[in-house]
Amino acid sequence: MLRVVCHIDMDAFFVSVEELFDPSLKGKPVVVGGQANQRGVVAAASYAARKFGIHSAMPLRTAARLCPQALFVDGHPERYREYSKKVYAVLTGFSPQVEMASIDEAYIDLTGTGRLLGPPLKAAHALHEAIREATSLRCSLGLASSRLVAKVSSDQAKPNGVLYVLPGKEASFLAPLEVRKIPGVGKKTEAALHKFGIRRVGDLAALDEGLLTTHFGRWGLALAGKAQGLDAGGWFDSEIGANEDPKSISHEHTFGEDSADGERLETTLLKLSEMVAKRLREHRLYSRTIQLKLRNEDFVTITRACTLDHATQLDREVAGAAIRLFRQAWDGKTPIRLLGVHAGGLEQSEGQMNLLEEPKTARLRDAFRSVDHIRNRFGGTSISLAKTLNAGIRERVHENPFGLPGKDPKPPSQS
């Protein structure tokens, strides 16, 4: 049976959702992610804004220089989650094998659905229309025999298109595309490939695998497979719908203006720790290693880490470790540009604890999970510690989304 994978990519998702709530934005250059004078990055840009060279991950201030007349919107993560869930509901009506790769893109396995949905292209058009009817949003769909080619084809189908790469045509479809079109090939890899005269995927496919392995290691071998349209290596080596645990969880905050206010900096770490701990609880994971990231006004980045005596998912324990590391790393006077809290060493349980402390810790976990439920429903600021209410930290709309459809927290393990 021929494998049929469909990749769904919502077109300018954040902007499109904002337009539903404010139709006056339609047709205008719109930037979602923050205000023009802030240090954040662009989460999404309307097609009108993209004509000025604005793109995702670009500094907001750069976007403002490129297009001074652009309309800047902070964003509404709770709205994006709501519409992402609507998309997910449509997808699960077409196949049980669905995976939300992010809040605005998904994979669906249509293999074996021919009797029910018809040929792949017919099914894709029906899915395209169903998403539009359920959300009033546009999307682009890519169909292929592999996840990688499906993702590339949805990008080629933008905006609001459907593209099916027939079985056996994967390599010829990819060959004329620039190598950066291969998911996972960033600027550094692209520059390294250019040194070998490799600019198109076809150039990469023609290169000897041994040479790629010599210069790029295991990633080089994966690149060789990707150039042929195979799901080789990272990002594409798991089954659709496999709910894999994250390897680490982190949140960062870049200050609008460098700060040497110790109380403000520690309050920021407290809020970031809240966000990290919430995600740990979502995944039913516990962290044993907490890392601090600190970047000063001269762009010097310092990282410090510590190992806890037991793994945790509690706000106060994550925050306690982060603040201790901060006090050791900061000289008390150098202005700080960025702070980050990173949880690593993730485990399925917190390990052996003091028998007297365990009942209290269990009650705290249950209380925080109730708080998490309220935050997911009413927004991240609906419940917060008094000290962090005015921390000025918003949930980033472009990364680490809370409550991703299909990524529901695991049920508590039975002991």
Side-chain angles (χ1 to χ4, degrees), residues 84 195 334:
S84 185
K195 291 180 180 178
T334 302

Side-chain angles (χ1 to χ4, degrees), residues 306-366:
C306 68
T307 301
L308 307 177
D309 57 6
H310 66 276
T312 187
Q313 56 174 207
L314 298 180
D315 300 32
R316 67 177 186 180
E317 295 181 343
V318 174
I323 290 173
R324 284 194 300 273
L325 292 168
F326 172 71
R327 290 175 179 175
Q328 295 166 9
W330 186 48
D331 61 12
K333 56 185 179 182
T334 302
I336 301 302
R337 177 184 179 87
L338 174 148
L339 286 174
V341 176
H342 175 282
L346 304 187
E347 302 176 3
Q348 298 291 334
S349 69
E350 55 198 330
Q352 185 64 44
M353 292 192 67
N354 185 311
L355 292 178
L356 296 177
E357 288 292 323
E358 171 53 27
K360 181 179 178 181
T361 301
R363 289 195 297 271
L364 277 173
R365 282 198 301 268
D366 291 341

Side-chain angles (χ1 to χ4, degrees), residues 51-177:
K51 292 179 181 179
F52 292 86
I54 298 173
H55 57 78
S56 298
M58 170 182 286
L60 291 166
R61 292 175 179 177
T62 301
R65 287 196 298 270
L66 291 173
C67 185
Q69 69 270 36
L71 303 175
F72 286 79
V73 180
D74 287 339
H76 299 82
E78 67 283 356
R79 293 177 181 173
Y80 310 145
R81 274 192 290 271
E82 176 190 350
Y83 277 84
S84 185
K85 289 175 181 176
K86 290 182 179 182
V87 173
Y88 182 74
V90 172
L91 299 181
T92 54
F94 279 72
S95 170
Q97 286 187 273
V98 177
E99 178 181 337
M100 296 300 292
S102 68
I103 200 166
D104 62 349
E105 63 174 320
Y107 292 95
I108 178 170
D109 194 333
L110 295 175
T111 306
T113 62
R115 279 190 169 185
L116 180 64
L117 303 176
L121 200 54
K122 180 180 179 181
H125 279 293
L127 177 57
H128 193 258
E129 180 62 18
I131 292 174
R132 188 193 65 78
E133 289 183 355
T135 66
S136 299
L137 300 174
R138 303 196 308 174
C139 65
S140 297
L141 273 60
L143 285 160
S145 61
S146 70
R147 297 173 73 178
L148 181 140
V149 177
K151 181 173 175 61
V152 176
S153 61
S154 70
D155 181 63
Q156 294 298 107
K158 283 184 171 293
N160 200 37
V162 178
L163 178 60
Y164 180 25
V165 178
L166 296 171
K169 301 296 183 181
E170 295 87 356
S172 59
F173 163 72
L174 294 172
L177 303 179

